[in-house]
Amino acid sequence: MIPHILAAAAETASGISGSFTLAIAGAAAAIGIGMIGGKAVEAVGRNPGASGKVLTLSIIGMALAEAIAIYALILAFQGR
Amino acid sequence: MLDSFFVAAALTLDAPAIIPSSGESFFDWLSNSVFVSFVVSAFIIWFARQATKQLTVVPGPTQNMFEAVVQGLYDLIESIVGSHMVARAFSLLATLFIFILVSNWFALLPGVGSIGWGKDTPAGFEVLTPILRPTTADMNMTLAMACVFMVFWLYWSISEVGIKGFLDHIFGVKGGLTGFMALALIPVFLFVGVIEVVSMAFRPMSLSLRLFGNVFAGETLLSTMITLGKQLNLPDWIAYALSVTIPVPFYFLEILVGLLQATVFLLLCSVYLQLSTSHDEEEGH
């Protein structure tokens, strides 16, 4: 029974297409942005007075992290 | 009756010329995003003149909003770039921010991207060259803005810190090392400088690609969401109902992304400026 399932999975796996670059870059950027967001929330929790500066820095950090995903997105648009 | 209105405006990566010129015609450069940049700047100029026509101490509504925008931008840039540099850099950075913000939000109006030349396909009229297209969804515009900023950044940092200071910022021995240690680490810091130059050279690319990618992906997302019912070839009236209800949350997302990308462009430009124009006394020995 198991080999049949594995064979079917292998067969469908070969049919998987789509942009692996975008999948990996998107996942990595999401992890990065999640960590920045988490730390920013902690920082504001610890020191609510500095929320303005923390917001500015976290926006910059998230933008830089997201840029990587955008590079992959543009490659994906060009079909690579 | 319903299927005639379906508009599948698939955005092409490069902005095609509005007037479909057969050969080398004069209007070849007037692409749809250039046309929209004229419209957007005309709107901004008109609004600015409208707000500053009769300046009264007790500001009217338009003037009040305009003051709030300019004051808010001034404080934000001053908090990053420092009070000395803000006088020089404010005009360019604020213009970039306002232009990008207005052109991003202009792109969300109904007519953009769905009116233009196209051909009849079995799935209804497909627009190939829309007349209106958001300026930031065109790589030329974002790259132009990024390069203009980099030229100014170079000019400001050299005039602010001097050629020697500028090169010292890049290749200099940092961390306040002196004496033998500094001499030993010079090759290391030279290598660090080369990496610094590479990252500086990549900044305009990353600035423009980030803005272009976000806005372009947003446009494609919206057009995919609008034509979702048709793509899943549901019956027409369901597709019509879907095409009205599904894009609504994505329009709010796009409003946020438009504002966020304009803010990010502004913040990154001012951070880059602050990095290279900070005087020695701030670093502290």
Side-chain angles (χ1 to χ4, degrees), chain A residues 60 63 66-67 70-71 73-74 78, chain B residues 13 206 209-210 213-214 217 264:
Chain A
I60 294 177
E66 200 191 324
I70 295 298
Y71 302 152
L73 183 75
I74 288 175
Q78 283 158 0
Chain B
L13 272 181
S206 84
L209 272 179
R210 175 180 306 114
N214 274 295
V264 158

Side-chain angles (χ1 to χ4, degrees), chain B residues 78-151:
Chain B
E78 183 169 25
S79 72
I80 294 172
V81 172
S83 53
H84 170 64
M85 266 311 288
V86 74
R88 306 181 66 174
F90 173 70
S91 50
L92 174 70
L93 293 176
T95 318
L96 282 178
F97 175 80
I98 293 174
F99 182 75
I100 293 173
L101 184 63
V102 174
S103 77
N104 281 350
W105 282 352
F106 177 85
L108 301 181
L109 296 180
V112 175
S114 51
I115 299 172
W117 280 267
K119 61 175 167 47
D120 271 317
T121 60
F125 186 75
E126 187 185 353
V127 178
L128 288 180
T129 54
I131 292 180
L132 298 173
R133 171 198 173 119
T135 61
T136 39
D138 172 14
M139 189 68 188
N140 309 319
M141 173 57 81
T142 57
L143 198 57
M145 283 194 274
C147 291
V148 161
F149 171 72
M150 291 317 281
V151 167

Side-chain angles (χ1 to χ4, degrees), chain B residues 212-260:
Chain B
F212 165 69
N214 274 295
V215 175
F216 184 79
E219 277 292 312
T220 320
L221 173 74
L222 281 182
S223 73
T224 325
M225 283 310 146
I226 289 173
T227 57
L228 197 61
K230 197 69 187 177
Q231 280 158 6
L232 305 177
N233 42 54
L234 300 165
D236 272 348
W237 62 275
I238 297 182
Y240 181 75
L242 283 185
S243 79
V244 175
T245 51
I246 284 191
V248 167
F250 293 99
Y251 269 108
F252 289 119
L253 171 71
E254 274 314 300
I255 292 174
L256 173 68
V257 163
L259 173 67
L260 192 67

